[in-house]
Amino acid sequence: MDIKADATISYPRALAFRAYRDHLPELVPYLPNVKSIVVKESEDDVGGVKGRTRKFNVWHAKGDVPGPVQAIIKPEMLSWDDHAEWDENAWTTKWRVQTHFFRDRVTCEGTNTYVEQGDQTRFSIRGRLEIDLKGLPGVPRLLASSVGGLVEKFIVALLTPNLVEVSKGVESFLRAKGGKLD
């Protein structure tokens, strides 16, 4: 299922891009559904190309799991690995997310673009989420693809507002920093 989200950040593109790329863990106080973001790896000038950065971050979501579903949804299920390549030359981020549960059944990847619009930035996310429930115990074989489609639709509906929330977090972070990065 396609993922599509757009937002405007009231700061110039270079500033918005660098805030998102270089200060992601510092954005957490401005992201209501995120408990923490941990940078596991960061590499600059990937492939000898200045302006290309590779990051591996682990996100941990906030969320109280209701008692009746705690047997199914464990706290580690509210975390995911974020593998991203940031290209300051093209003003894009190519990303791939790996869930900490059903890792072999969930594919999620896409590209963010940062388009300069005067002193603002149009932030666009385009991606794809695919969930394969075939062979999963408890899911009838004949229903696996239709149930998978419903699960994808449900997750994308939950995910899209949170994707836009990150752009609001970038804006709030930059406002708190007086529109300047260290």
Side-chain angles (χ1 to χ4, degrees):
M1 167 157 254
D2 289 336
I3 300 169
K4 180 180 177 183
D6 296 292
T8 300
I9 301 171
S10 299
Y11 287 91
R13 175 175 63 187
L15 191 60
F17 183 89
R18 291 177 188 135
Y20 196 173
R21 180 191 65 197
D22 302 334
H23 298 272
L24 195 55
E26 296 169 65
L27 298 179
V28 170
Y30 307 98
L31 303 174
N33 297 321
V34 178
K35 182 169 46 174
S36 68
I37 302 170
V38 179
V39 178
K40 293 291 192 175
E41 296 175 17
S42 183
E43 177 187 359
D44 291 327
D45 301 333
V46 174
V49 179
K50 188 166 175 51
R52 190 171 291 162
T53 302
R54 186 175 296 132
K55 299 257 185 187
F56 166 34
N57 300 310
V58 178
W59 293 60
H60 301 279
K62 278 184 194 172
D64 293 325
V65 178
V69 282
Q70 286 178 358
I72 301 166
I73 299 177
K74 306 292 183 204
E76 61 271 13
M77 293 178 159
L78 301 176
S79 298
W80 59 95
D81 295 342
D82 169 22
H83 300 271
E85 189 164 306
W86 298 77
D87 187 343
E88 195 165 345
N89 303 302
W91 301 107
T92 60
T93 309
K94 292 185 191 243
W95 50 267
R96 178 177 50 88
V97 170
Q98 288 182 293
T99 58
H100 287 193
F101 67 99
F102 297 136
R103 200 173 190 95
D104 58 334
R105 297 184 177 275
V106 178
T107 303
C108 188
E109 58 191 14
T111 301
N112 299 350
T113 58
Y114 308 78
V115 178
E116 194 167 42
Q117 294 184 317
D119 61 350
Q120 297 186 333
T121 304
R122 183 170 47 86
F123 176 62
S124 296
I125 300 170
R126 299 293 180 271
R128 183 125 188 99
L129 171 71
E130 295 175 0
I131 300 174
D132 179 10
L133 298 180
K134 292 180 188 110
L136 185 67
V139 178
R141 192 174 58 132
L142 294 174
L143 296 177
S145 53
S146 61
V147 170
L150 290 172
V151 171
E152 288 171 4
K153 188 174 183 178
F154 174 73
I155 290 173
V156 168
L158 289 174
L159 185 61
T160 302
N162 287 314
L163 295 172
V164 172
E165 200 64 41
V166 173
S167 65
K168 291 178 185 175
V170 168
E171 189 164 322
S172 296
F173 170 76
L174 287 170
R175 189 177 314 111
K177 299 286 255 173
K180 295 183 171 125
L181 296 175
D182 302 332

